[in-house]
Amino acid sequence: MGRYLLLDIGAGTLDMLCYDTDHDLHYKAVVRSPVRVLADEIRQTGGNLLVTGCEMGGGPVSQALIDRAKTADVLMSKPSAATIHHDMQRVAAHGIRLVDEAEAEGLKDDSRFYHIRTGDIQPDRLQQLVRGFGVPFEFDAVAICAQDHGLAPSGVSHLDFRHQRFAAALAHHPVPQTLLYRSDQVPAEMNRLSAIAKVAKSLPTHRVYVMDSGMAAILGASMDVLAANQKRILVLDIATSHTVGAAMEDGMLCGFFEYHTTDITAARLDQLLKDLADGKLSHRQILDQGGHGAYVRKSLGFDGVELILVTGPRRRLALESKLPITFGAPWGDNMMTGTVGLMEAVRRREEMSPIRYL
């Protein structure tokens, strides 16, 4: 028991939860995501850039760097360049010059370059945010979730690779917290989560955990007070970038699917949820239909579903659903779904007393 910092790093927002288990108090914030903050910094500066750091979520940052390389020199260390793509030749094709870390370090004080550092963890900003709560920036444990497709071997798509990793882990224990890793146990191929874990160890904490954001959202949604006494549930988290749906029975995963949020409609979600509950989805089918993939362990039976709980910053998409959906708010806040999932995963890992997320 003690003080915990939970961070859900998304494409649109960084969702933060501080929980003091000794006093049963929690403090929370929803702020702009690291990738958007850093992209703004890049766009607001002029001239040549030197980029160091590590891999982080791409999107706006990647585009800002690619755009800058059209008009100025952009030098990137190879670890930071993985933010744009794992294939360094593809990064260089944008006119970006790749340098080793030693050379990059030597150029930090060169006045010809504006220096930025990539990374999903921004320690100074986190310290400022936490101290804004009026609490010390010290924790017994820090847990962070983000989406990581992993570094796929040659000839294997990143979506197939992600599916294979999940299926292998869940085959042993089909619960979301299976995808929670202590910082020294993160599989090497999970490059983004490995980078997060490495930087997070510099935070004032005794323990660091990382987790896939989709699994954290599934677990967090299932902790909603409305799901507390339900045996068979469907949960749907519609986030800024990705949407994940899952079928659960007595806390066990029966299956799940993933899509880009921009590629989904309410009608499509209705059909996916029905097919997921009935065990009719397949990974290949979802890929062929433009999704990220699916995992099905067993049929739940749609007719036996007791609750369909929807969370996420873009959950208004589900307003057009024809299904009997319920909008959830784990710990009283729709935006805390991922952080509540992290807290519950850590609670189970550390065998803490149960928490009521009312």
Side-chain angles (χ1 to χ4, degrees), residues 222 226-235 246-254 297-298 300-301 304-307:
S222 72
L226 298 174
N229 299 312
Q230 308 301 320
K231 180 181 176 68
R232 301 179 185 86
I233 64 173
L234 294 175
V235 297
M248 303 185 74
E249 183 175 32
D250 290 329
M252 308 286 280
L253 266 175
C254 296
R297 183 178 64 89
K298 63 171 289 188
L300 186 67
V305 170
E306 300 165 72
L307 176 72

Side-chain angles (χ1 to χ4, degrees), residues 221 234-238 273 308-312 314-316 318 325-329 334 337:
L234 294 175
V235 297
L236 182 65
D237 186 72
I238 307 176
L273 289 171
I308 304 175
L309 191 89
V310 183
T311 64
R314 294 193 175 177
R315 63 180 184 168
R316 61 184 176 275
I325 63 168
T326 297
F327 288 110
N334 168 55
T337 306

Side-chain angles (χ1 to χ4, degrees), residues 34-268:
V35 70
R36 295 197 178 194
V37 169
L38 190 56
D40 281 352
E41 182 181 355
I42 294 168
R43 295 191 183 100
Q44 290 165 7
T45 62
N48 302 326
L49 286 177
L50 171 66
V51 187
T52 62
C54 58
E55 180 177 350
M56 68 181 298
V61 163
S62 297
Q63 192 58 55
L65 291 170
I66 291 169
D67 290 343
R68 178 62 65 84
K70 296 175 183 177
T71 60
D73 291 336
V74 176
L75 276 61
M76 297 188 73
S77 67
K78 291 180 180 179
S80 69
T83 298
I84 296 177
H85 204 281
H86 295 140
D87 185 340
M88 294 296 105
Q89 291 184 341
R90 293 184 63 167
V91 177
H94 292 293
I96 294 170
R97 178 183 157 196
L98 301 171
V99 297
D100 60 36
E101 291 184 89
E103 182 178 355
E105 287 295 319
L107 291 170
K108 282 185 178 180
D109 296 324
D110 193 319
S111 61
R112 294 174 299 164
F113 298 96
Y114 181 85
H115 176 223
I116 65 167
R117 185 175 183 83
T118 55
D120 289 301
I121 300 298
Q122 300 167 327
D124 291 345
R125 186 181 181 219
L126 290 176
Q127 181 173 358
Q128 182 182 17
L129 289 166
V130 170
R131 287 187 170 170
F133 295 147
V135 298
F137 190 57
E138 298 174 356
F139 304 95
D140 291 279
V142 173
I144 306 139
C145 66
Q147 187 174 73
D148 187 350
H149 286 115
L151 184 59
S154 177
V156 179
S157 80
H158 67 279
L159 295 179
D160 282 336
F161 186 59
R162 178 176 170 81
H163 169 73
Q164 291 166 8
R165 286 193 299 108
F166 280 16
L170 294 171
H172 298 288
H173 195 198
V175 290
Q177 64 267 26
T178 295
L179 276 297
L180 176 79
Y181 298 98
R182 203 175 62 197
S183 59
D184 60 348
Q185 297 176 330
V186 187
E189 64 271 15
M190 298 176 71
N191 40 305
R192 184 184 179 191
L193 288 182
S194 294
I196 288 173
K198 181 178 180 180
V199 177
K201 285 192 289 187
S202 68
L203 299 175
T205 184
H206 301 299
R207 304 178 298 283
V208 171
Y209 297 96
V210 294
M211 188 177 187
D212 176 81
S213 55
M215 289 296 121
I218 290 170
L219 183 56
S222 72
M223 290 296 102
D224 190 285
V225 64
L226 298 174
N229 299 312
Q230 308 301 320
K231 180 181 176 68
R232 301 179 185 86
I233 64 173
L234 294 175
V235 297
L236 182 65
D237 186 72
I238 307 176
T240 302
S241 180
H242 291 86
T243 290
V244 59
M248 303 185 74
E249 183 175 32
D250 290 329
M252 308 286 280
L253 266 175
C254 296
F256 68 89
F257 63 81
E258 288 185 288
Y259 265 82
H260 271 128
T261 300
T262 54
D263 295 334
I264 208 75
T265 64
R268 181 73 186 121

Side-chain angles (χ1 to χ4, degrees), residues 319-330:
L319 284 171
E320 301 175 17
S321 173
K322 305 300 182 185
L323 301 180
I325 63 168
T326 297
F327 288 110

